[in-house]
Amino acid sequence: MTTIAHSPTTAAQSDDDAAHGARRRGLGFWITRYLPAEIVGTAAMLIAGLGVTIWTGNPAVIALAGLLGETLGFYAVLAITIYIEQAPVSRNRRVAVGRTMMLLVAEFGLAEILDTLLIRPALLMAGVWLLADPLWGLLAGKVIADIVFYAIAAGAFTVTARTGLRDGSRAEEQVS
């Protein structure tokens, strides 16, 4: 019988593996990760944005309602998605909820601040102002804002994967 000795995986090897996995993520991964949230967020944006046109034609109010609807729909889906990812690497539900909140902030915090306070409102309002139909204005502004948002969020996701925050390896190292 031949015994093969295995060297223990070091933290540096684990980081290298996570970094390599993050680089290999293709378009299919990003679509699977974000498309459900996008669908719900877009539907909520249109319902809220077009819903306020019953009371006003003001592009700023329409854009703000669309922004709020989209944000609520988008993050509801992502909170569930991340919780499902974190439940297996967490000791209990409370830890999974805490990890979910931490990862939502790590992945989307910077992107959301820039998006919510600057980029998306300006682009949604510009879309509603430039295009005669609020439906097409909201959609045009949304698509352009999404490109900027996802460039930032995907980079942050990659950082959380490379640092071990997603798989719980950093938390386990601190406890051990």
Side-chain angles (χ1 to χ4, degrees), residues 35-122:
L35 185 61
E38 275 300 318
I39 291 169
V40 172
T42 300
M45 176 193 71
L46 293 174
I47 290 167
L50 296 176
V52 300
T53 63
I54 294 169
W55 298 286
T56 184
N58 184 325
V61 174
I62 295 168
L64 180 60
L67 175 67
L68 292 173
E70 182 177 21
T71 300
L72 290 173
F74 183 80
Y75 285 110
V77 172
L78 281 168
I80 293 167
T81 300
I82 294 172
Y83 178 82
I84 290 168
E85 291 171 359
Q86 292 308 303
V89 298
S90 300
R91 291 185 305 262
N92 57 46
R93 270 190 249 177
R94 191 166 46 156
V95 172
V97 168
R99 290 183 56 73
T100 297
M101 294 302 118
M102 180 265 307
L103 287 168
L104 278 169
V105 170
E107 186 172 349
F108 298 105
L110 177 61
E112 190 61 45
I113 289 169
L114 292 173
D115 187 66
T116 301
L117 298 178
L118 179 65
I119 298 162
R120 192 163 305 262

Side-chain angles (χ1 to χ4, degrees), residues 59 62-63 119-144:
I62 295 168
I119 298 162
R120 192 163 305 262
L123 291 171
L124 289 175
M125 192 166 23
V128 171
W129 181 66
L130 291 171
L131 300 174
D133 186 343
L135 171 73
W136 294 110
L138 287 169
L139 289 173
K142 177 200 176 356
V143 168
I144 296 168

